[in-house]
Amino acid sequence: MTETTPLYLLFPNAEVALQVARALSGNPDVTELPPDGWHAGTYYNIAPLGPLYEPVEVDAEGNPLAPPAEIPGYHVNGLWRGPEDTIPEALRPFMTFPTMPRVVWG
């Protein structure tokens, strides 16, 4: 069975995420993150999440008591379908290791 590693990537903004995608693909014309593909013989899936927000307290009717606070950065989840040591070096500075990810693969 193929080893699968979840990726929780945090970029400063969407443009940096695209710059990394362009560098990894060798294609300077990339304008959006591909949902899946192959890199160096390993299949991957990508799900751009964009902004995420802190949970908020709600009243008895479920109405928020305060507006949600945005978690800084541009968030991207991925699945790397190969050994963890084959994850591209260009992604490593953006990898995070949340104890309770806000969004996971189903």
Side-chain angles (χ1 to χ4, degrees):
M1 178 162 210
T2 302
E3 186 177 339
T4 300
T5 303
L7 300 174
Y8 302 100
L9 305 171
L10 177 58
F11 298 94
N13 54 54
E15 183 54 36
V16 172
L18 285 173
Q19 289 171 1
V20 172
R22 290 178 191 124
L24 287 172
S25 70
N27 179 357
D29 298 324
V30 170
T31 59
E32 60 185 36
L33 297 178
D36 63 352
W38 291 89
H39 180 78
T42 300
Y43 187 69
Y44 65 86
N45 302 97
I46 294 289
L49 304 175
L52 294 179
Y53 298 88
E54 293 289 349
V56 297
E57 290 186 53
V58 295
D59 63 19
E61 286 80 41
N63 300 309
L65 298 175
E70 186 173 323
I71 300 170
Y74 185 77
H75 305 264
V76 176
N77 281 2
L79 287 175
W80 184 255
R81 299 181 186 271
E84 189 173 339
D85 63 350
T86 64
I87 295 170
E89 287 299 319
L91 294 179
R92 293 189 182 276
F94 305 102
M95 291 173 66
T96 63
F97 303 91
T99 54
M100 284 186 56
R102 301 211 190 269
V103 180
V104 296
W105 293 91

